[in-house]
Amino acid sequence: AMDRGGYAPDLPEVVTLTQTTGWPQLDELLGAVVADLHGVFGDRLFSCYAVGSAFDGSGVQSSDVDLHLLFKGAHSACLKQAVREFSAELSKKHGVDLDLIPFFESDIKPWADVRTKLGGIQIFGKCSPEVLVLPPMDEYVRENMHRAYFYMARVRRFPDTLCFPVSAPDCQDTFCGYNSRVHDDGCPSTKELVVVAGWLSTALVTRAARCYIASKSASYAGYRKHIIDEWDSHLKDVFELAREKWNYRVPETDEERSKLAGICQRQVAFENHFLGEYRKFLQEEIAGASLLHAERAARLLRELFPEQGGVPVSKQGFLVPAWQVSTKGRSLDPRLTSVDHFIVKVPSLRNLSDKALREVFQRWEEFGVVVFACKDTLDLKYDLLGLQQYFGQVVFHPRSGKTGITSVRNLFKPEQGFAGTTNAMQTPHTDGSFLLRPPGIVALQTEICGLCGGESTLVFGDSLYRHMANHYPGDLQKLFQDNAYTIGRGGDRCTRPLFWREDGRVHLAYRCGNGEELEISARARLGFNRVYEFVNAPANQLRFRLPANHVLVVDNHRNLHGRTSWPADTVRCLNRLWLDGQGGHDSYPGLGMRVS
């Protein structure tokens, strides 16, 4: 995702911090870390904040050094992965446990991370704290409640289902599995105990008192101030004993080890207490105005409380059949239950019978997508070109051959900006958004589907449009502006709307998170972020494996497509074809979505 072959030759080994932490030795360390970060990420890194207990005076010997990195431009999954990888390298180089958390310009506006805003020290860059705006309280409470549940699942290694009441992460362990981490010297660490307790207390305090919490120590202090119940003494033991006195370590004396074991057992009970409050929160979400939040809450209620919900929870831990949605996020949209709706069986893509063509166009009008299940043929690419008879002329891709077909596979030398040359995940997008007139049709033909990974992802544009129209109509209209965003890759660059109207239908062109260059207008940024949130939510996606000699044909002005990653040593090969979508057949429905 990033070229990390070497540092800039004129960059100093240590950067002078814009603000001191108050500890000269720590300032020197941070100056060296920031110099390394800037050497790798260049000017895209425009600000860096030091946050957490290492800087607010509440740290202990084993505390991480937490840095929030603010990057220019839109959210990038590739850059996030590069930060994660580089975090491990820098930790080893500088002999300190660094936790680098990336944020993006599209994320921090209109609101910012609370710890950055209220508890951060700006040590590098130009982004003034005054431009960081706190999130709305309802959003903040929602984020903390869900995040606390996430950390409960993480300490249990993300089981397929998590039902109330929960048991200990490891029922066979004296310390209930909360000592799963290790210190640098190999000794067990109880940091997971403190982390989970901290997030649970933060969530409960923000919901009860509707206040912002900027640190672990503030969460404990807030609990003592705003919530007086039987769990106050437990949190006191977690923070004052497990964290401060024992420094995240398992104590040596039998008396103290017995005390820690009791704290860990009490933690399990505290987590079940939280789940009781979480259930009330989810019920409130269902009764709220947001359909997206209500659907998520209903799914979580069914999973966590299957008996109370009256809906059996399906097990998700098995291999998924080829033609079945492969995500845990379920939706009320019946199109997201199976790809069977879109399949048309044909001997070849050339000279389709009138019956087959009627079936194809019927599915096209209804869904904007067709999957052709073809018989074996000696020349797959020749067969693929037969789609021109029904869906218009070839549009050439920068990497396509003379026929217009592009090979999509994991090359030995990936090309910068072209995710199709790697085995990395592609988030849902429309092709050719860099062009003023994107191709109308994207066809993907599988030669070798691979043993695992590489699942196709579909997001239906009409569902996205209705979501925006129902919940954020003002933001939706700003995405129709001609200068909503500018997108570039290589030599292609285009300033365009995300939605536009044409021939009585709505069309879309969207891409974010696949290595492109993005500049989003200030007016459209909030709407763009809401689109990003919708298309990347598993509940709004259909995921499926495309078997060999099947062809996925997508209306590129109506629906978004993507794929999951696959192992680098897995052989996988697809053929891609762009068409203009100007089909000449009398029954061809055309491009775009019909919306009222």
Side-chain angles (χ1 to χ4, degrees), residues 58 78 117 167 178 192 202 221 227 230 232 238 268 272 276 278 293 308 340 365 419 457 466 483 495 565:
S58 65
C78 293
K117 170 71 175 178
S167 57
Y178 293 109
E192 281 296 299
T202 295
I227 303 177
E230 68 272 24
D232 178 72
V238 170
V268 179
N272 280 307
Y278 192 50
H293 297 319
Q308 294 90 328
D340 287 334
E365 174 67 17
T457 304
R466 286 195 299 269
N483 63 343
T495 299
S565 62

Side-chain angles (χ1 to χ4, degrees), residues 392-501:
Q393 298 302 307
V394 170
V395 177
F396 287 87
H397 184 275
R399 294 192 303 105
S400 63
K402 294 181 180 180
T403 62
I405 294 177
T406 308
S407 179
V408 180
R409 65 183 74 199
N410 185 18
L411 299 180
F412 292 107
K413 293 183 179 180
E415 296 184 40
Q416 181 69 27
F418 291 90
T421 65
T422 75
N423 64 322
M425 179 188 73
Q426 282 187 290
T427 59
H429 63 282
T430 61
D431 274 12
S433 303
F434 321 97
L435 308 174
L436 186 60
R437 178 72 184 183
I441 305 293
V442 175
L444 292 166
Q445 177 190 56
T446 308
E447 285 193 23
I448 304 173
C449 64
L451 295 177
C452 60
E455 292 180 324
S456 297
T457 304
L458 280 178
V459 174
F460 292 98
D462 54 358
S463 295
L464 166 63
Y465 184 88
R466 286 195 299 269
H467 169 72
M468 295 294 295
N470 291 338
H471 301 289
Y472 312 108
D475 295 328
L476 174 62
Q477 291 308 310
K478 294 170 185 175
L479 297 176
F480 277 89
Q481 295 175 342
D482 291 339
N483 63 343
Y485 73 107
T486 299
I487 182 169
R489 182 182 66 182
D492 295 319
R493 190 173 181 85
C494 179
T495 299
R496 61 170 321 107
L498 196 150
F499 293 102
W500 74 94
R501 293 181 174 85

Side-chain angles (χ1 to χ4, degrees), residues 238-483:
V238 170
F239 284 93
E240 295 185 2
L241 294 179
R243 181 176 182 270
E244 295 178 7
K245 181 179 180 180
W246 298 327
N247 193 26
Y248 300 120
R249 291 179 177 270
V250 175
E252 296 181 358
T253 68
D254 291 342
E255 181 181 355
E256 288 183 322
R257 289 171 69 90
S258 178
K259 178 69 173 178
L260 176 59
I263 294 173
C264 292
Q265 293 167 8
R266 185 75 168 155
Q267 174 65 20
V268 179
F270 180 51
E271 291 174 15
N272 280 307
H273 165 71
F274 167 79
L275 288 179
E277 297 300 315
Y278 192 50
R279 175 169 52 187
K280 298 175 186 177
F281 164 75
L282 295 175
Q283 291 168 340
E284 293 170 0
E285 288 281 272
I286 292 176
S290 170
L291 178 61
L292 181 63
H293 297 319
E295 289 180 357
R296 181 184 187 185
R299 175 176 58 81
L300 286 167
L301 273 175
R302 290 194 298 270
E303 291 180 356
L304 279 166
F305 309 95
E307 295 181 2
Q308 294 90 328
V311 180
V313 179
S314 61
K315 299 294 183 180
Q316 300 282 340
F318 305 99
L319 290 176
V320 182
W323 297 112
Q324 183 177 334
V325 60
S326 63
T327 175
K328 295 180 182 179
R330 301 292 178 175
S331 171
L332 300 179
D333 189 337
R335 297 175 299 182
L336 301 184
T337 60
S338 172
V339 78
D340 287 334
H341 308 303
F342 322 125
I343 297 177
V344 178
K345 296 181 179 180
V346 296
S348 170
L349 296 178
R350 294 180 174 272
N351 302 318
L352 295 177
S353 66
D354 291 340
K355 178 182 178 181
L357 203 55
R358 286 195 299 271
E359 190 177 357
V360 168
F361 289 154
Q362 179 182 356
R363 282 164 170 72
W364 190 258
E365 174 67 17
E366 186 174 359
F367 305 117
V369 58
V370 178
V371 173
F372 290 98
C374 305
K375 291 185 177 180
D376 291 336
T377 178
L378 294 177
D379 193 339
L380 290 175
K381 293 182 179 180
Y382 174 78
D383 197 47
L384 180 62
L385 291 170
L387 291 174
Q388 296 177 84
Q389 303 173 62
Y390 321 110
F391 293 103
Q393 298 302 307
V394 170
V395 177
F396 287 87
H397 184 275
R399 294 192 303 105
S400 63
K402 294 181 180 180
T403 62
I405 294 177
T406 308
S407 179
V408 180
R409 65 183 74 199
N410 185 18
L411 299 180
F412 292 107
K413 293 183 179 180
E415 296 184 40
Q416 181 69 27
F418 291 90
T421 65
T422 75
N423 64 322
M425 179 188 73
Q426 282 187 290
T427 59
H429 63 282
T430 61
D431 274 12
S433 303
F434 321 97
L435 308 174
L436 186 60
R437 178 72 184 183
I441 305 293
V442 175
L444 292 166
Q445 177 190 56
T446 308
E447 285 193 23
I448 304 173
C449 64
L451 295 177
C452 60
E455 292 180 324
S456 297
T457 304
L458 280 178
V459 174
F460 292 98
D462 54 358
S463 295
L464 166 63
Y465 184 88
R466 286 195 299 269
H467 169 72
M468 295 294 295
N470 291 338
H471 301 289
Y472 312 108
D475 295 328
L476 174 62
Q477 291 308 310
K478 294 170 185 175
L479 297 176
F480 277 89
Q481 295 175 342
D482 291 339
N483 63 343

Side-chain angles (χ1 to χ4, degrees), residues 577-593:
L577 181 67
W578 282 356
L579 302 170
D580 62 15
Q582 305 300 312
H585 195 279
D586 293 340
S587 301
Y588 175 60
L591 300 173
M593 62 190 93

Side-chain angles (χ1 to χ4, degrees), residues 71-302:
F71 290 96
K72 296 178 182 178
H75 194 106
S76 168
C78 293
L79 198 150
K80 285 183 69 175
Q81 178 61 30
V83 170
R84 283 193 292 268
E85 294 174 359
F86 198 47
S87 178
E89 293 182 21
L90 283 181
S91 296
K92 184 177 181 180
K93 175 181 178 180
H94 295 286
V96 64
D97 192 1
L98 287 169
D99 189 5
L100 306 181
I101 303 177
F103 293 88
F104 298 85
E105 194 173 17
S106 58
D107 296 336
I108 64 174
K109 298 175 182 178
W111 51 75
D113 179 83
V114 170
R115 291 180 297 164
T116 309
K117 170 71 175 178
L118 298 181
I121 301 172
Q122 187 183 21
I123 61 173
F124 171 78
K126 304 176 181 178
C127 183
S128 171
E130 286 72 25
V131 308
L132 303 178
V133 181
L134 290 173
M137 184 54 67
D138 287 344
E139 293 281 350
Y140 182 61
V141 171
R142 179 179 297 112
E143 176 188 352
N144 280 327
M145 293 297 288
H146 289 315
R147 183 176 290 178
Y149 173 62
F150 167 85
Y151 280 99
M152 280 185 57
R154 190 183 76 167
V155 75
R156 291 165 174 80
R157 301 185 180 182
F158 299 108
D160 295 327
T161 57
L162 195 63
C163 296
F164 175 85
V166 297
S167 57
D170 185 350
C171 297
Q172 306 300 317
D173 182 64
T174 302
F175 306 108
C176 301
Y178 293 109
N179 58 339
S180 56
R181 291 199 196 184
V182 294
H183 291 280
D184 292 338
D185 57 7
C187 294
S189 167
T190 59
K191 190 158 191 177
E192 281 296 299
L193 168 68
V194 179
V195 168
V196 177
W199 279 114
L200 266 60
S201 61
T202 295
L204 293 173
V205 170
T206 55
R207 183 164 181 261
R210 297 184 68 80
C211 61
Y212 297 103
I213 302 293
S215 65
K216 295 187 188 76
S217 57
S219 71
Y220 172 42
Y223 203 95
R224 286 184 298 167
K225 178 179 179 180
H226 299 291
I227 303 177
I228 303 175
D229 60 15
E230 68 272 24
W231 302 108
D232 178 72
S233 61
H234 168 67
L235 292 173
K236 180 179 180 181
D237 287 342
V238 170
F239 284 93
E240 295 185 2
L241 294 179
R243 181 176 182 270
E244 295 178 7
K245 181 179 180 180
W246 298 327
N247 193 26
Y248 300 120
R249 291 179 177 270
V250 175
E252 296 181 358
T253 68
D254 291 342
E255 181 181 355
E256 288 183 322
R257 289 171 69 90
S258 178
K259 178 69 173 178
L260 176 59
I263 294 173
C264 292
Q265 293 167 8
R266 185 75 168 155
Q267 174 65 20
V268 179
F270 180 51
E271 291 174 15
N272 280 307
H273 165 71
F274 167 79
L275 288 179
E277 297 300 315
Y278 192 50
R279 175 169 52 187
K280 298 175 186 177
F281 164 75
L282 295 175
Q283 291 168 340
E284 293 170 0
E285 288 281 272
I286 292 176
S290 170
L291 178 61
L292 181 63
H293 297 319
E295 289 180 357
R296 181 184 187 185
R299 175 176 58 81
L300 286 167
L301 273 175
R302 290 194 298 270

